[in-house]
Structure formats: structure tokens, C-alpha cells
Amino acid sequence: MLNSIVKKSLLNNGKFISTKQNLIIKNQKNLFSTSFKRLQDSNKLLIKKPLYKRAGNAILKYGLIGSFLGISYVSYALYKENNPSKQTPQSDTFSNGSKRKTIVILGSGWGSISLLKSLDTSLYNVIVVSPRNYFLFTPLLPSTPVGTVELKSIIEPVRSIARRSSSEVTYYEADALKIDPVTKSVHVKSVNENDYETDLNYDYLVIGVGAQPTTFNIPGVDKFSSFLKEISDAQDIRLKIMNSIEQAALLEQDDPERARLLSFVVVGGGPTGAEFAAELKDYVDQDLSKWMPALSKEIKIAIVEATPNILSMFPQNLIDYSQTLFTKGGIDLKLKTAVKRVDATTIYAENRDTQQIEEIPYGVLVWATGNAPRDVSKDLMQQLGPEKQNSRRGLVINDKMELVGAEGSIYAIGDCAFYPGLFPTAQVAHQEGDYLATVFDKLHKIDQLKFTNESLNDANKIKKNNAKIDKLYNKIDKFHYHHYGSLAYIGNEQAIADVTVNGFSFKGAGAMTFLFWKSAYLGMCVSLRNRLLVAMDWCKIYFIGRDSSI
């Protein structure tokens, strides 16, 4: 009995000692593992990651953050653009009983739309009249006939722009036929099938109807050439180019008719003509050469210009760079050459050096030079008489954009207006529109002070208000145009720039200037929608090319 108890006790003591030893060993292992991990962590701190890995991680991290913020901003901006806030309705009077005056804006070009965007529409009843129910971003129009940029990408509906104003804006899709400066009314006619006509009364009229192409009375130009001022012009040019290429493909290579059909001529060496020629050359070299390699080598492109240079608004070194690039690229520059006559197949032009008449066969002729007043402008000029309106270039205005002969009620801006030193460009029209918005703001304040005077009996208060009125009139400064420079695309992904902004001057040419040209034009688009569509069009041609179909 005693022996069994002793044995059992010894056995239990052995188990206890074994368990204790196991715990000690386990604790030692845990302690060693923890120490080893700490040693590894300290080594990691001492041994830094390679610079390229850290840089890559940082770029990835901040790239994702930037992408998220960029997408959020674009999404919010698009939402605000497509969901504008509620507008104040139009009314005959303000809350104080004073009359709310009416501004009628004719046209939907650069001047008219710039005015509409800058104008505080809560101060007036604003009516816009234009046969074109959209704003056209004309600087990119030369890119559209060959499909570099889609036509839908460079237009913005007038109603969309008007809807983003603080107060309601009335838009009529109509032509202005006649302006009566005596009765202060405009006779308009609907462009729809019903041909509805009516008179619109105004307190202030802003004429921004632009200009129409001029042929300089050269026989055959109006009948056989295509202009490049509107969307319909771009569509017409595209159709003619594609048809000429397809017709030429049916003929033998040595057929003179094939050579004529593949000759594309641009008359006018300004930005529009030069940029279109450059875009057409890009299309032939970058896209058509893939699908019709033999035929694409036969295509000839020429620019006919009456002056000694193309792009004459640029410095001479940039002109020389452009002309050299055009010549190397295979574009024939016919300088000092004036068109005298055009028929269905041939241009007859005189070289001003040799005085010889040159015959230039063509398949497609694009006329990109000259402006003339529209009929409504001509009619108004005749009403006011040659003493007041003495220029053939357009409506004569003073330095405050007021129409000479109808000061105080009629203003003219953009290509339809003429003032010495101001040229018919988008840049000029844009600044004129912004300027007029500030003028109308001051005129409203003057009207309110005059209305207040009518109810006052205190001579001193009337005197003070009259002093304020005189001060506001004096604050209506003369229009000062600030030239920020010129840009032009010259083909092969190169551009030229002569820009001056806030004292900073930049003159450049080449591929980097082409990127600047792109960014500048994107910034000038009137809506975020336009910017996105144009950017996507540019990306598209790099991946899938231009569309070669009609």
C-alpha cells in the first residue's frame, strides 16, 4: 500500500516537472521569435527601399488621388452645366416700379455669345435672334472637313448658354430682315417652314450678325467654289473631297482627268486657309495613305495667295518657318497670285511678278478669303446715309461700340462692325461682347437713378443723383482692344504662336507649340462639354484614325 502511494507521488512529480520544463522551453521560443521579429523590423528601417520603388509608389498614390479629385471636379462641373439653377422670369417692371428695358441681340457668334455670357440678365429683358441656333467655335472649323474634329464637338446650343444665365432669356430662331432705328424695332422672319414674321421692339439693340464671304466680283467664284464659314460649308467640302477621290479611283493613272480630280486648291493664305490645307495634308499622309497608298501619292494641294506671304499677321521668322514646312510637305504655295476667273474645272490666276495668266486645274476649290456685310447691315447703312455710314467693310461704330447715326440705342460688334484698327477676328468680337456687358451694367444704374429723381421733391437729393449720373456716364470708358497674339496649326503636328499675355511674350514654332495650341483652344471652348468632346476627338485619331467615309 505504502509502496503504491510512493510510486504515484513520484509519477505525479515527474509529470509536473516535465510540464514546467515544457512551459519554460515554449516561453524561450516565444521570446526568441519576438526578438527575431524586432531585429527584422529594425533591419527594414535601416535598409530603405530603392528610390525608383519609392518614387513609383508615390506617383501611384498621388496619381490615384489626383484622378479621383479630377473625376470628381469634372463630374460636378458637368452636373452644374447640365442642371442650371432656377432663373428669374422676365417682367415689364422691377419691384420698385421702374421699367425693365429690353435688349435685343442679333446673332449667335463670338460677339453676341460673349455678351450673353457676361451680361447680368436680371437687369434687362433679353431677346436673342439668330437663324443659327448654336454657337460655332470657328477656330477649329478647318479641322472638321477631314474629320480631325467632329462638327458636333465645336457647337453649343444657344438655349443651353441662355439657360445658364441668372434670368430668363428669350431666343427666336429667325432672320433679322430690317431694322428701324426711328421706331426702335426689328422685323424678323422665322427660318422654319411657316415663314412667320413679326416686329420686335427694343430699348437697346446689339447687332452681331457677322459677315458673309465676298467673291470680290470675280466671275465663277460664287458658283464653283466652297466657302468655309459655317457647318454646312464644312459638310459640303468633305462631300466634294470624298467624291473627287472616289471618281479619280475609277480612272487610269495617266488620265489627265484623274490628275485634275486629285488637285485641291485653297484660295487665301490666312489662318483659315492655311490650317485647312495643313489638315487636308495630314489626312492624306496619315490616313488615306493606309487605304489608298498609290492614289494618295498623286494628290496635290495648293494655296493661292495674292500677297507675298501666307499667315501675314505673324512675325517674318514664323512666316518663313511655316512656308518652309508647307513646301517640304508638298503643299504648293502660289504667292503673289491673284485669281481672275473661275470655271468648273480651272482657276485662271495672274502672277503679279510676271503678269502672266496661269491655268490651275482643280477638283475641289475652297475660297477662304474676304468678308462682306450682310443684307440687314447694308439696309441699315443705307437708311442712315453715307454721311454717317461711309465704309464698305461694315457698320461704322464709334469707340464705345455705338452705331454712328444711332448712338445711344444701337450697338454693333464683331465682323459686321467697322472701326479703324479693329480686325474681324474672334478675339476682337469676344472682347467687344465683354465690354458691352459692363456698359449695360452702368446704363442700368443710370436708369435707376433717373427713376428715383422722378419721385423726389428735394432739390439737393436730385442734384446729388445727377452728379452720380454724370459720374457713371464718365465711367463708361472707350473700348480698348488688347491683342493677346495669334495661333495657327501648320500641319504634321506643328504649330506657330505669337502670344503676349500680362507682359509675358512667347513666340514659338514646332511640336511643343502644337501642344500649346491645343491647350489654348481647349481653354477657349465655351463649355466643359465642348472641351471633353474635342479632347476625345483628338485622342480618337491617334488610335483609330480619321473616318474616310462621307
Side-chain angles (χ1 to χ4, degrees):
M1 179 82 177
L2 180 63
N3 290 335
S4 63
I5 292 171
V6 170
K7 285 181 180 180
K8 189 175 182 180
S9 176
L10 290 172
L11 184 63
N12 290 335
N13 285 337
K15 287 181 179 179
F16 174 75
I17 292 169
S18 176
T19 303
K20 188 174 182 181
Q21 287 176 342
N22 288 337
L23 288 172
I24 292 170
I25 292 170
K26 188 175 182 180
N27 288 336
Q28 287 176 342
K29 286 182 177 180
N30 290 338
L31 180 63
F32 176 77
S33 177
T34 304
S35 300
F36 183 72
K37 285 182 179 179
R38 288 178 179 174
L39 182 62
Q40 281 185 320
D41 292 339
S42 63
N43 287 336
K44 285 181 180 179
L45 292 173
L46 292 173
I47 302 172
K48 292 183 177 180
K49 289 182 179 180
L51 179 62
Y52 73 90
K53 284 189 176 181
R54 284 183 286 139
N57 290 337
I59 291 172
L60 179 62
K61 176 183 176 181
Y62 292 111
L64 289 173
I65 294 173
S67 299
F68 174 76
L69 294 175
I71 292 171
S72 299
Y73 168 76
V74 170
S75 300
Y76 175 75
L78 281 174
Y79 175 81
K80 290 290 291 182
E81 194 170 271
N82 293 320
N83 298 273
S85 56
K86 188 177 180 180
Q87 292 180 307
T88 305
Q90 294 187 353
S91 62
D92 293 332
T93 60
F94 291 100
S95 56
N96 62 358
S98 62
K99 178 187 175 183
R100 188 191 294 267
K101 290 189 174 181
T102 298
I103 297 178
V104 175
I105 302 173
L106 303 183
S108 56
W110 278 96
S112 299
I113 295 302
S114 296
L115 169 60
L116 181 60
K117 290 183 67 177
S118 302
L119 182 65
D120 184 354
T121 55
S122 66
L123 306 180
Y124 296 93
N125 291 325
V126 181
I127 300 173
V128 179
V129 179
S130 175
R132 191 179 72 183
N133 64 3
Y134 55 84
F135 166 77
L136 176 63
F137 188 76
T138 50
L140 289 177
L141 187 61
S143 301
T144 58
V146 295
T148 304
V149 175
E150 296 296 331
L151 287 167
K152 286 288 185 182
S153 301
I154 60 171
I155 63 173
E156 184 71 10
V158 174
R159 295 187 189 278
S160 296
I161 299 170
R163 183 63 184 84
R164 297 175 200 132
S165 302
S166 57
S167 293
E168 286 182 355
V169 174
T170 302
Y171 168 69
Y172 295 119
E173 189 176 4
D175 265 318
L177 301 181
K178 190 176 184 64
I179 298 168
D180 190 335
V182 178
T183 62
K184 291 187 176 182
S185 65
V186 184
H187 187 72
V188 301
K189 180 181 180 180
S190 170
V191 296
N192 299 321
E193 294 179 358
N194 55 15
D195 291 336
Y196 176 75
E197 297 186 30
T198 188
D199 290 324
L200 300 175
N201 296 318
Y202 65 83
D203 295 289
Y204 300 115
L205 175 67
V206 180
I207 306 173
V209 296
Q212 61 187 358
T214 181
T215 63
F216 304 105
N217 295 320
I218 298 172
V221 172
D222 190 55
K223 183 177 181 180
F224 299 111
S225 67
S226 296
F227 303 110
L228 189 51
K229 287 185 75 70
E230 301 289 346
I231 280 183
S232 57
D233 297 331
Q235 292 171 328
D236 177 60
I237 292 170
R238 181 177 181 82
L239 182 63
K240 286 182 176 180
I241 290 173
M242 298 307 172
N243 285 342
S244 289
I245 291 172
E246 295 299 340
Q247 289 175 30
L250 298 173
L251 303 175
E252 297 294 332
Q253 193 165 356
D254 58 351
D255 193 327
E257 180 66 7
R258 177 179 169 120
R260 181 190 70 79
L261 288 169
L262 296 178
S263 296
F264 303 132
V265 180
V266 181
V267 177
T272 300
E275 288 186 334
F276 171 70
E279 291 281 5
L280 181 57
K281 184 62 178 173
D282 284 351
Y283 167 70
V284 172
D285 292 344
Q286 298 171 9
D287 296 277
L288 192 65
S289 60
K290 298 175 184 177
W291 319 122
M292 307 175 80
L295 184 141
S296 65
K297 294 177 182 178
E298 301 175 46
I299 290 179
K300 297 178 181 179
I301 302 171
I303 297 177
V304 178
E305 171 58 42
T307 65
N309 297 298
I310 63 170
L311 300 170
S312 57
M313 69 289 300
F314 287 90
Q316 190 60 46
N317 63 322
L318 296 181
I319 293 173
D320 294 339
Y321 182 90
S322 303
Q323 293 183 166
T324 301
L325 184 68
F326 276 25
T327 303
K328 286 183 178 179
I331 297 177
D332 184 13
L333 299 180
K334 297 182 181 296
L335 306 176
K336 297 182 182 179
T337 303
V339 177
K340 296 299 181 182
R341 181 168 62 89
V342 176
D343 63 26
T345 60
T346 309
I347 300 168
Y348 301 88
E350 180 185 46
N351 186 295
R352 291 185 171 176
D353 286 336
T354 63
Q355 305 297 316
Q356 298 294 317
I357 296 294
E358 179 183 2
E359 295 185 6
I360 308 170
Y362 71 89
V364 178
L365 170 60
V366 176
W367 192 267
T369 182
N371 287 325
R374 296 191 182 275
D375 292 340
V376 65
S377 299
K378 292 178 183 177
D379 179 75
L380 183 57
M381 292 162 68
Q382 290 177 354
Q383 290 185 61
L384 297 175
E387 299 82 11
K388 303 291 184 180
Q389 297 293 318
N390 52 13
S391 173
R392 291 181 297 176
R393 291 174 54 183
L395 295 164
V396 180
I397 55 174
N398 61 21
D399 52 15
K400 293 184 179 180
M401 303 292 108
E402 295 174 310
L403 185 68
V404 175
E407 294 87 347
S409 62
I410 301 180
Y411 300 80
I413 55 178
D415 293 2
C416 68
F418 169 73
Y419 184 79
L422 297 180
F423 298 97
T425 64
Q427 191 176 167
V428 172
H430 176 75
Q431 292 185 35
E432 290 174 341
D434 288 344
Y435 164 80
L436 266 192
T438 64
V439 171
F440 286 130
D441 182 64
K442 293 182 177 71
L443 290 176
H444 169 73
K445 293 177 181 177
I446 291 171
D447 291 336
Q448 289 300 302
L449 287 171
K450 288 180 177 179
F451 177 77
T452 303
N453 279 350
E454 292 176 2
S455 60
L456 290 176
N457 295 320
D458 190 330
N460 289 328
K461 289 184 178 180
I462 294 174
K463 186 177 180 181
K464 287 181 180 179
N465 282 346
N466 287 335
K468 291 179 182 179
I469 291 171
D470 292 337
K471 190 175 181 180
L472 283 169
Y473 271 124
N474 293 330
K475 281 187 177 181
I476 300 177
D477 300 322
K478 298 176 181 179
F479 173 72
H480 294 287
Y481 169 63
H482 301 281
H483 184 64
Y484 294 116
S486 302
L487 298 167
Y489 178 61
I490 54 176
N492 197 25
E493 297 187 355
Q494 296 194 57
I496 57 174
D498 177 20
V499 180
T500 303
V501 181
N502 296 328
F504 171 75
S505 180
F506 170 70
K507 293 179 175 64
M512 291 303 295
T513 307
F514 173 57
L515 296 179
F516 176 75
W517 175 87
K518 280 190 167 183
S519 61
Y521 277 0
L522 280 180
M524 291 166 62
C525 291
V526 297
S527 69
L528 181 59
R529 168 188 166 275
N530 287 142
R531 295 186 186 101
L532 290 175
L533 290 175
V534 170
M536 287 191 290
D537 287 342
W538 282 336
C539 291
K540 180 187 67 177
I541 66 170
Y542 283 106
F543 294 104
I544 61 176
R546 299 169 180 83
D547 184 8
S548 295
S549 64
I550 294 174

